[in-house]
Amino acid sequence: MSKEVNPDLVKERKACTFNVTELVHIIDGGEQATKERKEVEEMVLQIKDIRDKVPEEYLSHKERYENAVRKTVLMVEVLKEHALRHSSFDAYKPSNMYRIQSGIVKDISPFMLHMGMFVPTIFGQASPEQMSEWLPKALSLQIVGTYAQTELGHGTFLRGLETTATYDPKTEEFIINSPTITSYKWWPGGLAQTANHCIVVAQLYSKGQCYGVHPFFVQIRDLETHVPLPGVKVGEIGPKLGFQTANNGFLGFQNFRIPRNCMLMKNSQVLKDGTYVKSKSDKLTYGTMVLIRVMIVADAAYEIGRAATIAVRYSAVRHQSKPKPDQPEPQIIDYVTQQHKLFIAIATSHAFRITGTWLWDTYSKVVADLGQGKLDQLPELHAIACCLKAVCSRDASACVEQCRLACGGHGFMLSSNLPIIYGLVTATVTYEGEYTVMMLQTARYLVKAWKQAVDGTALTPTVAYLLNYLNNSGRKWDNTPEGIIAGFQAVAAGKIKEAYEAIQRHQKEGHDYEDSWNLASVQLVNASDAHCRAILCEVFFTEVQKLSSTISAPLALVLQQLAELYLTYWTLEKGGDLLVHSSITKNDLVWQRQRYEQLLAVIRPNAVGLVDSFDVRDEILNSTLGAYDGRVYERLFEEAMKSPLNQEPVNSSFHKYIKPFIEKSKL
């Protein structure tokens, strides 16, 4: 970090009204968590040769992958013992402790799915005997794994997967096959050249009967030579919009045999004679997928925070135009349009972080209940996780892109790191549950909840507002956060009602239920979106209110301002829906617009302090525009000079192509 800090940033930091360190601790989950995160960061940054000698963008596709593996192995070697000490179930609670790894790789680690899905699936779906055999090897990285579910022809529709695992009672083995080109596994990170094991999700056949998709623990490469085993065809799928170092792969099988006990048997089993023992509930396998969706919400919060840090610091340093001819060019952060673009990103990062923690707590409680055989809360958790994963990933993509655009042309530079961050977040809209499919899964739960509400049945907490709507006993609109939340609940209830009635109308016209569902699907997605927005608004505001009584008054005020900004922003975005479904008036919307502008003004002095509180160090931010010292123009020039094209005064293409062309043109 440079000792010289841009004077504009010095001025901004002096203007901050709250204790930045206090907010850093809150974001990290406590002072001890901050201490541990910083220790991890220092451990990694002390590794010899961990820094790149040549910028990533100038390496070939193959070189970038190999460099990512090199750096990841160096980090894992240093962090392995630390990680093992934090390898319990609680280790998956959203945390920024190991974010340094993605910062050093500068993209996605080829090992990401090892700890991200391979290990959690063993935790969640292996029997105690299987766990005792596989988990120590996986946690110590004696084996490297990934999770192979998605296929070339099927993604979110699990029942459509074509990979087969057919049980042979004579040898007590499963025979795995990829019967069609569309049955090849496609997309798993680390699968191509990195992993030697994977969890393979396949259709289970035994005694001539199909029992649906089940997970299998499969070794795909020789542990000594790393050569693919006979009957395994594996490779890389090629460049993508982002995730260039993730090593996403394809995988096919031809009569590949694995032992019977390689089927994960915590919930379902196949006995030696081929008898299938069914799980107590099909829903027990939701656990791993819900966990991943919890993590995606937390990741969205973090990446928005990174993007906001870059854009806000740049906006404090950048001066542009002369609205008043007799005064200097203002910082672009003083333009209200710039504040409108950026402050919602700061608020959204906090909203998603807080909601992600709330979702984790809900998930942990349901997992504990599952251990006691209680399954009644699982459908609600699944519905919440689906819509939050969908909406948070989509909003994150929009927020990061808005931050990039707010940086003008410089935001288009790879060295800003905003294009790379965008590539990371936009992928989350699709993977581990495509946006529309997730929203329609939540909609199925909402339609059932509406039927229960009409019948007067007690409802689970996140949909209890439906009863208030039906009884006309909900809170009426007023221009307070509580009134806004009630307004969003009224919008959600109204849209759920309309979607439900649309299905009924289509059925009366002679369509069967699924066709009626499809015809009403746009309304159903909109209903899920409204339901999710109501949850985000309520959880963010309620949790900030709880937190406010335990922290300093200046910080409590700033967080309350951010929560109110989030609610007011979305009130203005969804004004039409609120006018249709709630008791808001046109005058209320005028008041909300004025309040929104007031909030931008009061948050403005704390903007740089707020992004400093994300505490993303320069080695993780990887941005010429967003470094702590604000040396934007110097860093842009320094990075430009690293281009291979600047290493010689005349490029060979001049003599090879341009000069002959010019000479011909003279004739």
Side-chain angles (χ1 to χ4, degrees), residues 76-133:
V76 168
E77 192 62 38
V78 166
L79 297 176
K80 190 159 56 174
E81 286 190 19
H82 187 279
L84 282 171
R85 293 198 300 272
H86 296 80
S87 61
S88 66
F89 173 77
D90 283 338
Y92 287 94
K93 183 175 182 178
S95 163
N96 292 334
M97 187 182 297
Y98 295 109
R99 299 286 185 187
I100 183 71
Q101 295 182 77
S102 60
I104 292 295
V105 173
K106 296 183 181 175
D107 199 326
I108 289 292
S109 167
F111 290 72
M112 183 182 77
L113 258 62
H114 176 83
M115 291 303 294
M117 288 202 72
F118 181 69
V119 171
T121 303
I122 295 172
F123 259 125
Q125 299 193 46
S127 68
E129 296 77 18
Q130 290 172 325
M131 263 207 278
S132 65
E133 181 183 351

Side-chain angles (χ1 to χ4, degrees), residues 150-153 178 180-186 233 250-252:
T150 298
E151 295 177 354
L152 190 54
S178 305
T180 64
I181 188 171
T182 51
S183 70
Y184 269 65
K185 298 299 179 185
W186 194 271
K233 185 176 182 180
F250 64 78
L251 174 66

Side-chain angles (χ1 to χ4, degrees), residues 154-162 203 210 212-213 441 444 514:
H154 289 89
T156 310
F157 179 54
L158 296 189
R159 295 197 306 278
L161 295 180
E162 298 176 86
Q203 300 283 359
C210 179
V213 293
Q441 288 195 21
R444 291 204 182 268
E514 285 307 319

Side-chain angles (χ1 to χ4, degrees), residues 13 50 55 95 162 317 329 537 618:
R13 288 172 177 135
I50 198 68
S95 163
E162 298 176 86
V317 170
E329 292 181 87
C537 289
D618 289 350

Side-chain angles (χ1 to χ4, degrees), residues 413-466:
M413 298 288 295
L414 283 181
S415 68
S416 75
N417 205 32
L418 290 167
I420 291 91
I421 295 173
Y422 179 75
L424 297 177
V425 296
T426 198
T428 64
V429 180
T430 304
Y431 73 66
E432 307 310 332
E434 188 273 336
Y435 172 83
T436 303
V437 176
M438 292 294 94
M439 296 297 263
L440 289 173
Q441 288 195 21
T442 298
R444 291 204 182 268
Y445 179 80
L446 296 177
V447 167
K448 289 178 184 176
W450 179 259
K451 289 178 185 175
Q452 291 173 331
V454 170
D455 294 340
T457 308
L459 297 176
T460 52
T462 58
V463 288
Y465 63 82
L466 294 178

Side-chain angles (χ1 to χ4, degrees), residues 31 50 78 104-105 157 167 292-293 302 340 345 377 407 453 489 494 503 563 588 646 652:
E31 186 174 353
I50 198 68
V78 166
I104 292 295
V105 173
F157 179 54
Y167 184 66
I292 301 309
R293 288 164 191 160
Y302 180 77
H340 172 61
Q377 298 301 313
C407 294
Q489 290 174 341
I503 294 171
D588 290 323
N646 289 326
S652 60

